[in-house]
């Protein structure tokens, strides 16, 4: 079954706060911001999907910027280079007097995108088959009450009467105890520390897309001499 993935990156100014994950450069060390940690994990999740699963698992990436910026579309799967370029343009959140991005509206937009037809869906329709109505929304955020994300998705699906299946996965940065919450309709919330987020994301993408990791060791190095 084809599963579309809509990845949502939170872009509120609260994410400028520091984490306990430290990066060292030369003789200097600094704590990573929540935005940096979430952005790195988002890029890795997206890269794996685009490199390994692009044939039957299209992916769309968006941020909760003030205008809900899309980094790509179902029709425009240009790859990681385009997404990285757009991320560089968007940059980290900015401290501003303007209203902060609305996570509720962003999740609702993700649902609409997940239930819309991708190029693979269009191809299935042209072949006389039914398009996929299954989508996974992957949200990277840092909020005090991540359970309300699942409530938003459930309420919006009930009101839209779309008949599609939406699976929500939330990666939520927490400073304290890590734990996993399973909500109604199978939505999953991973409350995880910054230092463990990358591995948590890797484990999940392997599980969701039935991937395996192969480690190759003891490869002899071929040394050539150019005369």
């Amino acid at each position: 079954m084809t599963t579309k993935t809509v990845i949502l990156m939170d872009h509120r100014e609260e994410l400028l706060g520091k984490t306990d994950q430290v990066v060292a450069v030369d003789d200097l060390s600094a704590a990573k911001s929540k935005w940096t940690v979430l952005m790195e994990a988002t890029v890795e999740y997206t890269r794996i999907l685009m490199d390994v699963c692009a044939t039957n698992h299209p992916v769309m990436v968006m941020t909760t910027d003030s205008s809900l910026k899309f980094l790509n579309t179902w029709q425009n799967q240009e790859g990681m280079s385009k997404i990285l370029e757009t991320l560089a343009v968007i940059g980290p959140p900015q401290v501003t007097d303007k209203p902060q991005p609305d996570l509720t509206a962003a999740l609702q937009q993700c649902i609409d995108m997940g239930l819309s037809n991708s190029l693979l869906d269009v191809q299935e329709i042209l072949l006389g088959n039914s398009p996929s109505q299954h989508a996974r929304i992957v949200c990277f955020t840092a909020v005090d009450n991540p359970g309300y994300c699942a409530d938003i998705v459930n309420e919006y699906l009930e009101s839209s009467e779309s008949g599609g299946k939406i699976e929500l996965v939330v990666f939520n940065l927490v400073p304290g105890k890590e734990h996993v919450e399973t909500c109604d309709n199978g939505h999953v919330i991973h409350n995880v520390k910054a230092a463990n987020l990358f591995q948590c994301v890797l484990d999940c993408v392997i599980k969701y897309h039935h991937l395996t990791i192969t480690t190759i060791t003891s490869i002899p190095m071929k040394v050539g001499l150019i005369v």
Side-chain angles (χ1 to χ4, degrees):
M1 178 178 61
T2 298
T3 300
K4 293 169 285 190
T5 301
V6 183
I7 297 177
L8 176 64
M9 298 176 60
D10 200 350
H11 197 259
R12 296 170 298 116
E13 66 180 44
E14 288 89 339
L15 299 183
L16 293 173
K18 301 299 183 182
T19 69
D20 57 358
Q21 187 174 13
V22 177
V23 58
V25 180
D26 296 330
D27 295 330
L28 302 176
S29 61
K32 290 184 178 180
S33 69
K34 296 177 182 179
W35 163 256
T36 298
V37 173
L38 292 173
M39 185 268 294
E40 290 174 344
T42 301
V43 168
E44 182 63 9
Y45 197 113
T46 308
R47 184 194 64 78
I48 294 174
L49 289 188
M50 288 194 161
D51 286 353
V52 181
C53 309
T55 303
N56 57 354
H57 293 286
V59 57
M60 180 186 295
V61 187
M62 62 183 293
T63 70
T64 61
D65 197 86
S66 56
S67 57
L68 294 177
K69 288 187 171 61
F70 291 88
L71 279 65
N72 66 334
T73 66
W74 294 137
Q75 290 70 36
N76 186 11
Q77 299 276 302
E78 291 185 319
M80 281 305 301
S81 59
K82 181 63 177 179
I83 287 178
L84 291 174
E85 289 175 6
T86 309
L87 269 177
V89 173
I90 294 174
Q94 301 294 321
V95 177
T96 176
D97 294 332
K98 297 179 180 179
Q100 288 297 293
D102 185 355
L103 194 58
T104 299
L107 284 169
Q108 292 173 347
Q109 184 70 49
C110 285
I111 294 172
D112 291 338
M113 291 298 100
L115 296 177
S116 64
N117 289 331
S118 68
L119 284 178
L120 288 177
D121 293 329
V122 173
Q123 293 172 6
E124 290 297 318
I125 293 173
L126 293 175
L127 292 173
N129 301 322
S130 299
S132 171
Q133 287 295 302
H134 180 214
R136 179 178 292 115
I137 297 174
V138 181
C139 178
F140 291 87
T141 187
V143 293
D144 295 331
N145 179 25
Y148 89 96
C149 295
D151 295 336
I152 292 169
V153 171
N154 289 333
E155 291 173 5
Y156 191 69
L157 283 174
E158 290 175 3
S159 64
S160 64
E161 298 181 351
S162 64
K165 176 175 174 55
I166 293 291
E167 175 186 351
L168 174 68
V169 179
V170 179
F171 293 101
N172 184 51
L173 284 184
V174 293
K177 184 178 179 180
E178 297 181 316
H179 61 286
V180 179
E181 301 175 42
T182 301
C183 307
D184 293 340
N185 295 332
H187 304 316
V188 180
I189 300 171
H190 298 271
N191 295 286
V192 59
K193 292 182 178 179
N196 298 327
L197 176 61
F198 197 88
Q199 186 60 50
C200 180
V201 166
L202 184 60
D203 292 341
C204 287
V205 75
I206 289 172
K207 173 184 175 181
Y208 294 147
H209 298 280
H210 310 292
L211 305 177
T212 57
I213 294 180
T214 301
T215 303
I216 302 175
T217 60
S218 303
I219 301 177
M221 182 178 293
K222 183 178 181 180
V223 179
L225 178 63
I226 299 177
V227 180

